[in-house]
Amino acid sequence: MRLVERDKELSALGNMLDACAAGHGGVAWVSGPVAGGKTALLHAFGERAAETGALLLRATAAGAAHDQPLGVLRQLLLGADLPTADADRAARLLNRVAATAPVRGAEGTIPTEVAIDVFPRLCGILLAQARKRPVVLVVDDVHHADAHSLDCVRYLTRRLDVSRMLVVLAESSSFPAADPRFRTELLRRPNCRPLRLDLLPWRGVTEMIAAGQEGWRARPLVSDFHRLSGGSPLLLRALLEDYHAADRARSAELVPGEAFEQAVTACLYRSDPATRDAAWALAVLGPRTAQSQLAEVLGTGPEPVARGLTALTEMGLLSCGWFRHDAGRAAVLRSMEPPHRARLEARAARVLYAHGQPPTALARHLIVAEPVDEPWVLPTLLAAADQALADDAAGLALDCLRVAHDICADEERTLAIRAALLRTGWRVSPSAAAPYLPGLTAAALAGRLDGRDARALVGYLLWFGQVGTAVEVLDVLDALDADDMVMDPEADGGPGAPGGGPRELGFLRLWAAYSYPGFSGLPVPGRAPGGRRDPTPAQTSQQRAAALLHGALERGPGGDVVLRAERLLRDTRLADHTLPAVTAALAALLFADGLDRAASWCDALLKEATERRAPMWQSIFAGAKALVEIRLGRLAAAEESAHTALTLVSPEEWGAAIATPVAALLYAKTAMGRLDEAAGHLSIPVPDAAFHSPGGLLYLWARGHFYLAAGRPYAALDDFRSCGDLMAGWDRDLSALVPWRTDAAQAYLALGDQRRARALAEEQLARGGAGRTWTRGVSLRVLAAVTEPGRRPRLLGEAVEILRERGHRLELARAMDALARAHRDLGDEGRARTLARKAQQLMRESGAEPSAYGPRSADAAAEAGASLPLVGRQWSPGTGWQPVELSDAELRVATLAARGHTNRQIAGKLFITVSTVEQHLTRVYRKLDVQRRTDLAAKLRLDATGPGDAEGGGNGTAQNRLRAV
């Protein structure tokens, strides 16, 4: 065995072995820290000694057998390759000793006369062997050796000058010597050589790594290995094992793992109890802990603590009084039995409290400690929870509150703690807050909950869709004496709690009305309770947000909505009770078409929520960002944001608000043409309460567009009309959110009903007035599809201007594409081609499917075969005829080819390349099982007369389309 990192020490032992063979015996005293490589050195030397023909006798002393008389000598003699006669003789002598000392653990149990007779005879066996050949005695962990064995070793060492015997003893420097006089006597002898094994230097680490890893070239990592192991061979080998087990690149970061943890635990349990206790106390108390505090926690003096810390440093676990890596501290903490750690944490909390440490420092110990029955514990935990929440450490705050809840005996205070648990838990995970909702609700309805907590409770009830219960709580609060209310305009509330006091309750009702306009019993937005316009200027951020949102919804873009929204966002610090105001301001920016500013604020708020470690906040802002990015025409970014919103917080935890991120994800994937993926999101459950909210409108809107793209116009029309019915029932037309008339008009166009499509588009334009809103731009595009060719460019030109001005890039691309077709129909091929290229570029930038559905003019629909997929049939062995669908692009190309157009003519009409036409035709031939262009028209007509679609009426629609061909 080659021990590269200990070549110097191994060479020194080899020289002593050579001297021993020449008749000059000696003693080698090897010392070093725990896990410093002593055992490996002894093993390597033993192999070398055995190869020379020397008689090798080995023993390892153990702490458990410290008081067993001659335990070490028994290992040396009975484990050696002695001649049979000598072995039998040694066994008889040892058995005689055992017979005279039957009681273990009692010092001096060997009678003096027995010792005087037996010890020389036992040693004589070894000395006799030394006259025949070199004898090497190796004793590891000699600090655990029993006193009688040490007496025998002492006897032998006095005769080494004239004997071919080498005694190699190894001790751990972190243990107190079993017999200090024994060590002192041996080290004074001229034939005794001390060998100290310190931690490996940088070069030793490099050599050890290179010896076991041929061709290993990650030299930059050597410093990390040296820094984390401290030069300890045991820890270094563990780090190497973790590094290669991780299967990462050679230049990857070094991360301690399971092997490192096991090595640290091994170091501790191979150390003496004082060292182990010092490590545990240090890990519990943390960095920059005074040794006097460690001693207080351990209930010992400063000397054992100092010795333990020194030993931990020597073995490579500590550097400058603290662990070299957090993984080291974690391993030390996990090495404790849970009951022992709980007791240690309790003692630590008491000591730190006596030293005046702040509540947060005490709480970290109280959370994992055994119960501490002291009057200061509950106030300390509550103060620590408040501070942790202020520091955005919601996890620590929750832990403090849970422990406080368990030990609190006062009912009123317990309710306050539960309210704090609800408020804090919701920020991290609504499911963590939900268990406290029923009890707090019952207390609020009974009038036993503090006013501030009751107002916060309303917000959480709204989040989970419990609108009726929220209104009941508001009724109870209204019935309370106004003088007893906490008049704090910025009181801490929840998602939807504007503030405190009777006036704030009115705005809380108003906020509930904005959140659930479909729920009866709530005030009409924009009016104060009692039906009057509220003449009082808004004071709190929530009141300002309510007024702002009302203006954006009722009056649309224009005025100072964007300026007021940004002023509110600048003036409002993000917190639990201001979250509704912040989200309302973002919604106002969205409704007012301040899209670029809304996107910028979403990014800033999402970054802040991430830095403040609030997953629920992150999810809400990610969901809002997805809606903004859809309007901006950034579909890939919208998909990513919506996915983030549903990943940080699971769909089950979104409550009734789940409709919004699902709608964003559904619409984005639909617009990108990924209909199979979009269909998968329809399986996410959406609570019934969501359809009393604007989020439910968004969900129906997105699902309607999915159905329209999937060729199910009747289902799409049902969803769009449901949006209109909901708004009518609410007495609120939220066209800035969902322009359902324009959407329904697109569904009617897909069905070929131009009359109804025109009526809805004109109605939407009339309701919007002359304002240049994005909904007007979309409505003009839809209206142009049912207008005579000569009027289309003017309508579409205005739509393009409006959508470009408002920043709706996807809708702009669609309007520009329609304008290109309008100019082509009028014979202006040059302008048509230029506009088409720009539209396609915008489509690519948006990530939209270029062949995505959209209203065409009546002539274009007839020429292209409309936009619904055609259902054909394909024979499959074993299954017979199977349905097959042509995409929108394939259907347009196939229809023109069936009419006799050449590939180049088709490319010119559809503004695509000849190569793209050929690719589409290849797929069409394969799907419809035709070989030539002349068979295409008949095949299309044959499939069009097949069974109708599942929605009813589909067959007639297909026939109408093909008659136009």
Side-chain angles (χ1 to χ4, degrees), residues 484-551:
D484 294 333
M485 300 293 288
V486 179
M487 301 299 293
D488 180 2
E490 289 291 337
D492 191 8
R503 188 172 182 274
E504 275 61 52
L505 289 178
F507 280 98
L508 184 50
R509 286 186 181 276
L510 194 60
W511 185 260
Y514 277 119
S515 301
Y516 292 93
F519 194 86
S520 60
L522 293 172
V524 177
R527 295 185 181 275
R532 300 173 291 101
R533 289 277 177 184
D534 188 357
T536 309
Q539 298 296 324
T540 69
S541 57
Q542 288 86 350
Q543 295 165 13
R544 291 163 60 193
L548 181 64
L549 191 56
H550 169 71

Side-chain angles (χ1 to χ4, degrees), residues 13 62 121 147 221 342 418 461 725 813 848 878:
L13 291 174
R121 295 168 67 183
L221 282 176
R418 287 178 186 169
L461 290 170
D725 293 342

Side-chain angles (χ1 to χ4, degrees), residues 101-185:
V103 181
R104 282 191 175 185
E107 289 292 342
T109 54
I110 299 178
T112 304
E113 60 275 13
V114 174
I116 294 174
D117 179 45
V118 172
F119 287 6
R121 295 168 67 183
L122 287 170
C123 293
I125 295 174
L126 298 175
L127 291 171
Q129 288 295 321
R131 286 192 290 271
K132 301 175 184 178
R133 54 176 172 166
V135 176
V136 178
L137 276 67
V138 177
V139 180
D140 198 4
D141 289 341
V142 71
H143 49 274
H144 289 314
D146 61 281
H148 298 300
S149 293
L150 294 181
D151 287 339
C152 290
V153 173
R154 185 185 289 112
Y155 181 91
L156 291 170
T157 58
R158 290 170 181 167
R159 291 156 179 77
L160 293 181
D161 293 342
V162 293
S163 174
R164 290 192 297 172
M165 184 178 293
L166 176 61
V167 178
V168 182
L169 307 174
E171 72 161 356
S172 174
S173 56
S174 64
F175 278 84
D179 186 352
R181 292 176 300 174
F182 173 78
R183 177 200 287 171
T184 303
E185 180 182 341

